[in-house]
Amino acid sequence: MSNGNESCMFRDGAEFVACIFHAFEEWSGLGPLEDYLSYLEYLAWVFTPLVVVFILPFLIVILLYLSILFLHVYKHKNQLREAYSNNMWDGARKTLATLWDGHGFIWHGYEIHGMEKIPDEGAALIVYYHGAIPIDYYYFLANVIIQKGRIVHSVADHFLFKVPGFKLLLEVFSVIHGPQEECVKALKSGHLLGISPGGVREALLSDETYPLLWGKRRGFAQVAIDSKVPIIPMFTQNVREGFRSLGGLSFFRWSYEKFRVPMAPVYGGFPVKFRTYLGDPIPYDPNISAAELAEKTNQAVQALIDRHQIIPGNVLRALLERFHSRHKEK
C-alpha cells in the first residue's frame, strides 16, 4: 500500500489496521487517532456510571407503572371473565377498556365528574369539545363500558375510515362516519351516541384558549330532535395541554381549509391532569328548532369550559395539578 512517496507495508491484520489509521490521519489532518480514541474512551468511562445511575431508576419506575397497570386489569378479572364467556367482542372491548382506563389513571390521573348523568339504559346524544387528539374521549368511552356496561356509538371523520388497519377497531367499537340517518337509527335503537360538532377542524385549529369551532353546524341538533333524545354536554379540563396542534399556523390552516386533509403536526403527550365534566342533560323539546338547540348546546359546552378551564391553558400548571386537587370552580 502506498500514499504519495511513502509506503505502508504490513505482515498481518494488526499492521493492516494500523496502516489504515495512519492513512486516515494523513488524509484528514486530525493528528494521531489514538489520542481521539483515548479521549472518547475517557468520556465513556466518566459518563457511563452517570447514564446507568439515571437509567436504572427510570427503568424501575417503568416497571412499577407496568405493575400498576397489571393490577388495574387484574382488579376487573371477574368482569372480563364474564364478558369473554358471553361474547368474544364484548370481552375484547372490556379488556381494551380496562387497559385504556389504566393508562388514563396512570398517565393523566383521569377523573370523570357527572357520570351519573349518563343513563343506565335508553338513548342520549353526548356532545363534546374535540382536543388535538381526543384521548380524553377514549378514556370516557372506556369508563362507560366499565362502569355502565354500555357502548357509546361514536361519529368520526371520513378520513379515519381510510387509515390502514383501523376498520376492525372502528367496527368493534361501533364508530360510524356520520350520516344523519345512521345517527338517528343508532339513537332510536336505544344506544348512546357521541359526537363533536367541531370535529377535525376544532382538533387542528383550536388552541389553548379553547374556542369552539362549530361554525353553523346544526346537524347534530337535528339528529337529537328527530330521535327525541336529550343532549349531554361534555368537556375535559386541560385536554389542550395534553396534546397540542400546529394547525393554527397559516400554512397548515390554509392546507386544511383548501384540501380538508388533517396534515398539521400534533405534539405533546404530556402527563397533565385530565378531568372530564358532564353537564346537565338538555331535554328533548318538540317546540325548539335545530338552530336553537345547536346554540343552546354550544352555550352548555362553553359554560363547562368557562367554569372548569383556566384560559389560556398552561402545560406546567396542568402538570402541577397532578399533585393537588384544587381546580377552577366558579
Side-chain angles (χ1 to χ4, degrees):
M1 180 181 295
S2 64
N3 181 27
N5 296 323
E6 297 182 7
S7 295
C8 182
M9 304 298 295
F10 51 88
R11 293 186 298 273
D12 55 28
E15 289 187 359
F16 175 73
V17 173
C19 182
I20 293 296
F21 276 128
H22 178 68
F24 181 77
E25 290 167 5
E26 291 188 346
W27 173 78
S28 63
L30 292 176
L33 281 178
E34 290 86 351
D35 293 344
Y36 289 96
L37 293 175
S38 297
Y39 181 64
L40 292 175
E41 187 178 326
Y42 170 74
L43 291 178
W45 179 78
V46 170
F47 287 104
T48 297
L50 294 176
V51 171
V52 171
V53 164
F54 283 101
I55 286 181
L56 287 180
F58 182 70
L59 292 176
I60 292 172
V61 170
I62 291 177
L63 182 60
L64 288 172
Y65 275 115
L66 288 175
S67 300
I68 294 170
L69 184 59
F70 169 77
L71 292 174
H72 197 85
V73 173
Y74 188 79
K75 182 174 66 175
H76 298 284
K77 62 179 175 49
N78 291 332
Q79 289 178 277
L80 295 176
R81 186 185 297 115
E82 181 181 352
Y84 276 105
S85 66
N86 294 331
N87 179 282
M88 178 181 70
W89 292 126
D90 189 34
R93 276 189 291 264
K94 287 196 174 181
T95 300
L96 287 175
T98 304
L99 289 171
W100 275 102
D101 182 50
H103 182 273
F105 172 75
I106 293 169
W107 197 245
H108 293 289
Y110 183 68
E111 302 174 5
I112 295 183
H113 298 264
M115 180 62 90
E116 69 279 359
K117 296 169 185 176
I118 300 295
D120 294 329
E121 57 183 26
L125 181 62
I126 301 159
V127 176
Y128 63 95
Y129 172 83
H130 202 304
I133 293 180
I135 193 169
D136 60 309
Y137 183 66
Y138 307 155
Y139 297 150
F140 167 73
L141 297 180
N143 273 268
V144 173
I145 290 173
I146 293 170
Q147 296 184 36
K148 298 282 185 176
R150 304 193 65 183
I151 303 168
V152 180
H153 293 227
S154 303
V155 177
D157 194 90
H158 288 78
F159 90 90
L160 202 59
F161 292 83
K162 300 176 183 178
V163 178
F166 268 48
K167 182 179 179 182
L168 179 60
L169 179 68
L170 299 176
E171 287 179 356
V172 170
F173 283 90
S174 303
V175 180
I176 59 178
H177 60 80
Q180 290 191 21
E181 298 77 14
E182 288 296 315
C183 295
V184 171
K185 181 180 177 181
L187 289 168
K188 284 190 173 181
S189 298
H191 297 298
L192 299 168
L193 180 67
I195 185 170
S196 172
V200 175
R201 189 170 192 275
E202 189 168 85
L204 297 180
L205 306 184
S206 188
D207 55 28
E208 65 273 16
T209 63
Y210 290 83
L212 294 174
L213 303 181
W214 296 7
K216 295 183 179 180
R217 294 183 180 180
R218 57 190 64 165
F220 72 93
Q222 189 62 56
V223 165
I225 292 172
D226 293 344
S227 306
K228 300 180 180 180
V229 300
I231 292 178
I232 302 174
M234 187 173 84
F235 169 72
T236 298
Q237 182 186 62
N238 297 325
V239 66
R240 280 278 160 187
E241 280 56 73
F243 289 91
R244 289 190 171 180
S245 167
L246 298 179
L249 298 179
S250 56
F251 170 76
F252 297 117
R253 179 182 289 271
W254 171 83
S255 63
Y256 176 73
E257 299 289 6
K258 181 74 173 178
F259 304 107
R260 285 294 186 267
V261 178
M263 294 168 40
V266 173
Y267 66 96
F270 306 115
V272 300
K273 182 68 177 182
F274 278 176
R275 296 184 182 93
T276 291
Y277 293 93
L278 293 157
D280 293 329
I282 303 171
Y284 165 67
D285 183 352
N287 300 314
I288 195 172
S289 68
E292 292 171 326
L293 182 56
E295 178 60 28
K296 193 172 184 179
T297 306
N298 183 290
Q299 292 175 0
V301 176
Q302 185 62 56
L304 291 175
I305 296 173
D306 294 341
R307 185 177 184 185
H308 301 294
Q309 183 65 51
I310 298 175
I311 305 292
N314 180 279
V315 174
L316 179 58
R317 181 176 61 236
L319 285 169
L320 293 176
E321 288 180 13
R322 291 294 305 274
F323 304 101
H324 62 83
S325 58
R326 188 180 69 183
H327 54 281
K328 182 179 177 182
E329 187 83 26
K330 289 185 178 179

